Amino acid sequence: MSAVMVVHGGAWAIPHDLAEASVDGVKVAACEGFSVLQRGGSALDAVEAAVRALEDNTVFDAGHGAVLNADGEVELDAIIMDGRTLASGAVSSVNNIANPVSLARAVMEKTAHVLLTSRGANLFAESIGMATVPGDTLVTENERKAWRKNKNFATEVMEDFNCQAHDTVGAVAVDSAGNVACATSTGGIRNKMVGRVGDSSIIGAGGYADNLIGAVSCTGHGESILKVTLARLILSHIEQGKSLADASQLSLQYMGDRVRGAGGAIAVSPSGQWAATFTTERMAWSAVDHDGLWYGLDPNERLKEQWYDHLLPL
Amino acid sequence: MFPVVVVHGGAGQVPKERSEGSSLGVRMAARAGYAILRGGGSSMDAVVEAVSQLENDPFFNAGRGSLLNIKGEVEMDAIVRTFTIREKKKRRKNHVCLTAEGANRFARSVGVPEVPPESLVTEYSRMCWAKNLAPGTNRGDSQMSQMGKMGTVGAVAVDRQGNVACATSTGGVANKMEGRVGDTACIGSGGYADNQVGAVSSTGYGEAIMKVNLARLILFHMEQGQSVEAASGLGLAYMESRVGGLGGVVTVDPQGHWAARFSSLQMAWAAAQKDTLHYGMQTGEDFTHSIDDPL
């Protein structure tokens, strides 16, 4: 059984000046995750490694590089899920944590709970000795500028969420033992209300993993993804016999028709099939399988390289 | 199609001395929800009314009477959902979920009254908290240790227009970690509603309900042609076999079929349809009397 790694760096109209960095970022993260699998690591370890790489990359809206809420502060959400046992961990509305996906994993492995929010989540981080960083250090100067500009716009601009940056990050993987896992992480929507929780920490919406079906990680308009529980919806179509690509396309179409939301999803099956699908203008994604390194940005794009080139130290 | 509202007061193990109060509470809530449906009101209004009553009732783990977190404080979760084709009222920011301080701030901004946290604490909830702190108490997440610590409330309904809705509310599991969010606030787990399929409100071992997305799972079964009873049973059985979790649900479809099913020892529930009140607590119970009979 050959392992597969798929990552995404957000589904939205990625502008030209961010395109190259976004594609590079997802490729590097996919290779990081795949090298964990190559060393015999689990799907869970691989998705965590890949999402950590994306969180550390300021071009994406997760961990470092997160967008700011209405108060000009960072609030991060993340989830991780193990398809073998359906165990899951998630955090919502945390600040001062550079890698929320790792905190989410700690919730899964060190508590009897699945989701911790806000202050409670931050207290838990402290209790397990997870390093905290000043919230300021997670925010780029570009984001501060964009946030200030956004605040000065008329509120009508806020209504069309489908045009906003949605560069939530995520990963799915299947390891050589056939176990699947998913992880998703985000800073949310720029200028969101304080305390707004999107899909990225909600099991079944931002991500879901089940060894009996597959694993999915979603990105896009969070409120829409929540309303249709997108990850679980895609998996239900796969359960009914659809291919990963068809299941993803159908579900995203449904989200567009029913609640006027656009987005993207990556999926992997226990047998090593995978798909990267989106209804937004663009989605930065990358996958590594036995055939090589795949990646894309624009609709119907499916480019390929030899993956080991990207393992060279940067 | 006959409008119906179905209410639950939590799946678990209801202590004997509280079972009378729990049973009465769900019946009163069902009757209140039904009054709205009978008057032509919406399913959303009916479930909100029913759940509000249960939140105000100290016999239930929601609102007043919420079980306390590890610090002895109240932290509550809730969800409402309706899925119609009506355009939502335009709001400044169209969000679905708010947490913690942000949620409280929003409440203030729209004039939802705030109350002192101590007013939500009862002798019973304080007693539970103290008991669960004691060394030697089983603090693990096994089924049995969970069963005595629950009591999430919820309701589902379908109105004359065929619109379905759900609402769920809780104080969460006793002595939970600060910031623990269970299934109740998670769409697809604690509740889900879709006019094309039906509505579900869940209760029980929250972490297990989340792992299987119980509400959405039951509706998937209904989409595949299962009845409300069979779908609810299948969802609960799967949760027990896959992740060892027990719980209960109330389920309704747009045609007015309904079910109240649970895999836990007990679940206080009541349903009102065709001017008849149904209710029960133990497995297999389904008492009925006229909706207008004194309770």
Side-chain angles (χ1 to χ4, degrees):
Chain A
M1 222 311 290
S2 52
V4 173
M5 185 78 218
V6 194
V7 313
H8 70 74
W12 61 295
I14 299 169
H16 181 69
D17 60 343
L18 292 180
E20 193 177 338
S22 300
V23 172
D24 281 347
V26 292
K27 280 179 181 176
V28 164
C31 290
E32 287 247 12
F34 192 72
S35 63
V36 169
L37 297 173
Q38 282 287 90
R39 294 195 298 267
S42 66
L44 202 63
D45 289 339
V47 298
E48 186 188 358
V51 169
R52 282 182 67 100
L54 296 163
E55 285 170 338
D56 292 342
N57 187 335
T58 57
V59 81
F60 303 111
D61 170 26
H64 279 92
V67 299
L68 297 169
N69 69 12
D71 271 9
E73 284 163 357
V74 160
E75 282 186 290
L76 309 169
D77 310 329
I79 193 170
I80 191 165
M81 186 167 182
D82 181 352
R84 193 175 55 90
T85 57
L86 303 189
S88 179
V91 291
S92 67
S93 224
V94 292
N95 54 34
N96 303 353
I97 301 288
N99 294 107
V101 71
S102 296
L103 185 57
R105 186 162 182 183
V107 171
M108 179 174 81
E109 293 176 339
K110 300 184 173 165
T111 78
H113 300 319
V114 164
L115 171 58
L116 291 180
T117 189
S118 290
R119 209 174 86 93
N122 274 88
L123 284 174
F124 170 63
E126 264 168 63
S127 78
I128 57 169
M130 183 169 284
T132 55
V133 298
D136 280 348
T137 62
L138 298 174
V139 184
T140 63
E141 195 40 52
N142 278 343
E143 172 51 28
R144 284 234 170 263
K145 279 194 202 141
W147 176 80
R148 272 192 288 264
K149 187 170 156 203
N150 203 271
K151 264 221 159 311
N152 294 333
F153 264 126
T155 52
E156 288 75 42
V157 171
M158 292 300 298
E159 290 301 333
D160 191 359
F161 283 112
N162 289 323
C163 282
Q164 290 213 334
H166 295 137
D167 39 356
T168 294
V169 303
V172 292
V174 56
D175 59 31
S176 52
N179 296 315
V180 299
C182 73
T184 309
S185 178
T186 192
I189 299 182
R190 182 177 298 128
N191 216 16
K192 63 187 176 178
M193 281 175 78
V194 173
R196 176 263 190 183
V197 178
D199 62 293
S200 301
S201 56
I202 306 298
I203 184 171
Y208 197 81
D210 183 350
N211 269 14
L212 301 178
I213 325 167
V216 173
S217 167
C218 303
T219 174
H221 183 218
E223 277 71 15
S224 302
I225 292 169
L226 280 167
K227 287 177 189 177
V228 303
T229 59
L230 185 63
R232 193 59 189 88
L233 179 63
I234 290 172
L235 290 166
S236 74
H237 282 303
I238 296 171
E239 269 180 299
Q240 297 306 311
K242 299 256 175 339
S243 72
L244 269 60
D246 284 349
S248 304
Q249 190 59 45
L250 241 135
S251 306
L252 285 165
Q253 195 63 50
Y254 173 76
M255 189 168 86
D257 294 341
R258 196 88 198 260
V259 294
R260 298 183 304 133
I266 51 174
V268 76
S269 77
S271 59
Q273 276 136 23
W274 60 270
T277 321
F278 53 100
T279 49
T280 44
E281 271 186 54
R282 289 176 145 174
M283 182 174 85
W285 65 270
S286 178
V288 186
D289 64 13
H290 61 276
D291 231 355
L293 169 71
W294 305 85
Y295 60 98
L297 184 68
D298 290 309
N300 303 314
E301 209 173 39
R302 210 174 140 101
L303 303 162
K304 191 177 162 196
E305 284 174 20
Q306 287 308 302
W307 70 277
Y308 45 76
D309 288 348
H310 290 266
L311 284 193
L312 296 175
L314 292 168
Chain B
M1 200 283 287
F2 295 99
V4 60
V5 61
V6 197
V7 160
H8 68 74
Q13 204 174 347
V14 183
K16 252 185 151 185
E17 64 275 14
R18 289 175 71 81
S19 55
E20 186 74 43
S22 298
S23 178
L24 187 62
V26 292
R27 280 181 278 151
M28 282 172 53
R31 212 160 65 164
Y34 187 71
I36 288 176
L37 294 176
R38 194 155 62 171
S42 71
S43 53
M44 172 59 74
D45 287 344
V47 299
V48 169
E49 178 58 34
V51 170
S52 297
Q53 287 219 359
L54 295 167
E55 286 171 334
N56 292 335
D57 188 332
F59 272 94
F60 301 98
N61 175 15
R64 184 157 171 262
S66 283
L67 294 179
L68 307 177
N69 73 10
I70 191 76
K71 284 179 66 183
E73 291 168 350
V74 167
E75 280 185 291
M76 301 170 287
D77 310 329
I79 193 170
V80 290
R81 178 168 164 89
T82 187
F83 208 156
T84 68
I85 54 172
R86 253 191 346 244
E87 184 74 14
K88 270 199 168 136
K89 212 168 89 167
K90 250 189 194 276
R91 286 199 301 273
R92 209 169 236 245
K93 294 183 193 189
N94 247 320
H95 295 324
V96 162
C97 182
L98 291 177
T99 190
E101 177 51 38
N104 277 84
R105 210 196 275 196
F106 171 67
R108 268 171 243 138
S109 76
V110 294
V112 169
E114 267 181 288
V115 297
E118 317 81 68
S119 66
L120 301 172
V121 178
T122 60
E123 252 182 65
Y124 180 75
S125 62
R126 201 156 274 298
M127 191 260 300
C128 278
W129 173 75
K131 191 166 135 202
N132 285 310
L133 279 183
T137 316
N138 185 355
R139 292 265 320 275
D141 59 350
S142 71
Q143 283 177 9
M144 282 324 292
S145 72
Q146 289 298 323
M147 282 295 116
K149 301 176 187 175
M150 291 175 293
T152 296
V153 303
V156 292
V158 58
D159 58 33
R160 281 193 198 155
Q161 285 70 43
N163 295 318
V164 299
C166 71
T168 312
S169 178
T170 192
V173 69
N175 292 52
K176 62 188 178 183
M177 282 175 75
E178 192 181 337
R180 177 268 190 181
V181 178
D183 64 294
T184 298
C186 295
I187 185 169
S189 297
Y192 198 81
D194 182 348
N195 272 11
Q196 293 175 359
V197 193
V200 176
S201 167
S202 319
T203 173
Y205 180 16
E207 279 71 11
I209 292 170
M210 291 164 90
K211 289 175 188 177
V212 304
N213 261 194
L214 184 62
R216 193 63 188 91
L217 178 64
I218 288 170
L219 291 169
F220 280 137
H221 284 304
M222 284 163 65
E223 278 178 284
Q224 299 306 312
Q226 299 287 347
S227 68
V228 287
E229 275 284 344
S232 305
L234 277 164
L236 288 167
Y238 176 72
M239 184 168 82
E240 188 171 355
S241 66
R242 190 85 197 260
V243 296
L246 301 180
V249 290
V250 290
T251 307
V252 76
D253 74 13
Q255 289 74 45
H257 303 113
W258 61 271
R261 289 286 299 257
F262 49 101
S263 50
S264 53
L265 271 173
Q266 287 142 341
M267 182 175 86
W269 66 270
Q273 186 180 49
K274 289 198 256 183
D275 292 348
T276 304
L277 189 65
H278 302 250
Y279 62 100
M281 175 98 67
Q282 318 291 342
T283 310
E285 271 177 359
D286 187 353
F287 305 117
T288 57
H289 61 67
S290 160
I291 196 84
D292 298 310
D293 281 355
L295 289 173

